Amino acid sequence: MGSLLDYRAIREDFPILSTRMNGRPLVFLDSAASSQKPQRVIDAFNDYYRCRNANIHRGAYRLSYEATDLYETTRRRVAHLLNAPHPESCVFTRNATESINLVARSWGEANLEEGDEILVSELEHHSNLVPWFMVAQRCGARIRHIPLTADYQLDLSRLDEVINARTRIIAVQHMSNALGVIHDLKRIGARARSAGALFLIDGAQGASHLRVDVQDLDCDFYALSAHKMLGPTGVGVLYGKRELMEAMPPFLGGGDMILTVWKDGFKPAPLPNKFEAGTPNIAGVVAFAIALDYLEKVGLERIHQHEAALLSYAVEELSRVPGLTLYGTSDLSVRGGVVSFNVDGVHAHDVGTILDEEGIAIRAGHHCCEPLMRLLDIPGTARASFYMYNGPEDVDALVRALHKVRDIFRSAVKS
């Protein structure tokens, strides 16, 4: 397998990858759930609490000024990564889930009315479904779905069937966490523009693997999670067009989000503080800047190319395992580094348990995509997901372990 990345050198930066699981060298194939962290990110997180800890935007002393500067530096780094024109339109949240909830609650409740339509797809993660269900129930809006092709891509040739004058927002993922398919966002965004609808992208599986340019995509909102991008847990970002964000009411009240409070009312602060109530995960945000530096240094284009090569190798090798079903499109040019599969006659959880005994970490279950699993008519899948620190030897270990899964269950059936 050819690769542009020296993934073996990269692995040296991630201390957990030299550890063992169940007595065997760890083979980590679950980065779609949460990526591992390089030592420099761990150090930045610890250094903040050891040497720089103070609350931000409040203190009249040097330590607080420095903490505030570090926090705001990360905001500027995020804006640079996304090519956002205004750093203040990048709001820190806890994760992509909270970012989407923020839009659904703030923009949705202020703008949606009975009969309005929200367009999603059956590929979506629950985080980009449930917030819309909740706001639709409150406002009387209707949820509609972009049709899927036979190989579970969004069927964009049928957009006209589901977009009309009542469509107010189109909310789709950048990349499927369950099947790995990468969507043609510019085409969807252009159709949203022509219909006068807003366009939200769930970038939980996109920003960590693909170059994102929110101006080129012309999206109204882009949501991401730091923990899938080498950063700490508990940090997310919502990018939104400034004029939209300025018009939206606050999501949470208290703390840093106020400009003035009277006995009987308040005036919210301008962006970004309006959407950042209370003391945030300062250490996590500060360490996220180091993760972003790492991503930029390695290069998102090279990361994607490396994962594409690894995906091609994995699909080829897994296809040779008897009795194994692969899910998702065979057009690998529109897929990221995710492989979902089942072994005939073996529950995905049993596959995951046996692989765990071999030191291999994968995800097993419905992947927070129950509508998709119902469409596939299966309870769940086993899922291997790759990142910059994986190599073909990880795929080889996975294939060997899957042969063991078959041997174990074949023996069980015979006994």
Side-chain angles (χ1 to χ4, degrees), residues 163-226:
I163 295 178
N164 58 57
R166 300 310 303 264
T167 306
R168 300 298 310 283
I169 189 166
I170 301 174
V172 298
Q173 60 197 202
H174 195 156
M175 179 177 115
S176 166
N177 68 311
L179 301 181
V181 61
I182 300 169
H183 306 301
D184 185 349
L185 298 175
K186 292 188 71 170
R187 188 171 171 187
I188 301 171
R191 192 65 186 84
R193 292 276 86 78
S194 67
L198 299 187
F199 182 36
L200 178 145
I201 300 171
D202 173 3
Q205 300 294 335
S208 49
H209 305 277
L210 303 163
R211 177 65 65 188
V212 176
D213 184 333
V214 293
Q215 295 188 73
D216 184 55
L217 292 170
D218 195 20
C219 58
D220 294 291
F221 302 104
Y222 193 97
L224 60 84
S225 287

Side-chain angles (χ1 to χ4, degrees), residues 323-327 340-348 351 378-382:
L324 187 140
T325 301
L326 291 169
Y327 299 96
S340 268
F341 57 90
N342 273 319
V343 179
D344 289 354
V346 186
H347 195 284
V351 173
I378 53 176
T381 72

Side-chain angles (χ1 to χ4, degrees), residues 15-144:
I16 200 169
L17 298 179
S18 62
T19 63
R20 302 175 75 83
M21 186 169 75
N22 288 325
R24 298 175 182 273
L26 172 63
V27 176
F28 189 76
L29 297 174
D30 195 23
S31 293
S34 192
S35 73
Q36 295 301 343
K37 324 302 178 193
Q39 184 64 53
R40 65 192 71 174
V41 171
I42 299 169
D43 290 344
F45 188 87
N46 291 334
D47 177 72
Y48 175 80
Y49 282 122
R50 190 168 53 243
C51 307
R52 304 171 187 276
N53 181 52
N55 214 328
I56 58 172
H57 302 150
R58 294 167 172 81
Y61 52 92
R62 183 180 182 86
L63 208 55
S64 178
Y65 297 146
E66 291 179 350
T68 300
D69 184 58
L70 288 169
Y71 187 86
E72 294 301 329
T73 294
T74 303
R75 195 187 312 276
R76 291 190 290 274
R77 293 286 296 107
V78 170
H80 175 75
L81 182 84
L82 299 179
N83 194 30
H86 311 291
E88 62 270 23
S89 63
C90 295
V91 172
F92 289 116
T93 60
R94 289 184 300 168
N95 40 53
T97 300
E98 184 172 283
S99 296
I100 296 169
N101 272 272
L102 192 163
V103 178
R105 290 293 298 273
S106 176
W107 176 85
E109 292 193 358
N111 292 279
L112 292 173
E113 300 176 347
E114 185 171 356
D116 285 343
E117 296 183 357
I118 301 165
L119 188 60
V120 294
S121 83
E122 290 176 85
L123 285 171
E124 303 303 317
H125 189 282
H126 295 166
S127 295
N128 195 32
L129 288 175
V130 177
W132 301 113
F133 294 155
M134 293 168 69
V135 73
Q137 288 171 353
R138 285 191 288 268
C139 301
R142 177 188 180 196
I143 302 290
R144 299 193 69 181

